[in-house]
Amino acid sequence: TNAIKSSSTSSNSASNDDAKAHRTRRMAQEYEDKCGAAWKAYNSCVTKAVKEHKLEELIHQARDENPLRELESHLDQTHVS
């Protein structure tokens, strides 16, 4: 019976992972549909301003001194290939 439980648990885990991956892809597509163009325009504008004002080195230094560990941890937990 332990083998059956283990197989069932493994199957449920895979099913849950598949459902989570599907939900994540659906949410990403919804975000892209609603906000993708605005995000790309914003990101382009900020990137251009950072380069024009030569802020890349300051940003790199700030990231080295104070990395966003909470964000990195969150991304590691939610990243779906």
Side-chain angles (χ1 to χ4, degrees):
T1 61
N2 284 342
I4 294 171
K5 286 181 183 178
S6 176
S7 175
S8 175
T9 301
S10 177
S11 176
N12 286 341
S13 177
S15 178
N16 288 341
D17 288 347
D18 289 345
K20 183 178 179 182
H22 176 72
R23 187 172 53 251
T24 299
R25 284 191 300 273
R26 188 180 75 239
M27 291 172 65
Q29 185 60 51
E30 182 179 339
Y31 170 80
E32 181 63 31
D33 292 346
K34 291 181 179 180
C35 306
W39 167 252
K40 288 173 186 166
Y42 166 80
N43 193 20
S44 175
C45 180
V46 169
T47 300
K48 181 180 175 187
V50 165
K51 288 180 182 178
E52 285 177 358
H53 295 282
K54 298 179 174 48
L55 299 174
E56 296 100 336
E57 184 58 35
L58 288 174
I59 291 170
H60 180 72
Q61 181 182 351
R63 287 179 177 155
D64 285 345
E65 292 174 6
N66 298 294
L68 296 174
R69 300 204 191 287
E70 290 176 13
L71 177 61
E72 291 170 355
S73 174
H74 175 72
L75 292 175
D76 288 344
Q77 293 171 3
T78 60
H79 179 70
V80 177
S81 300

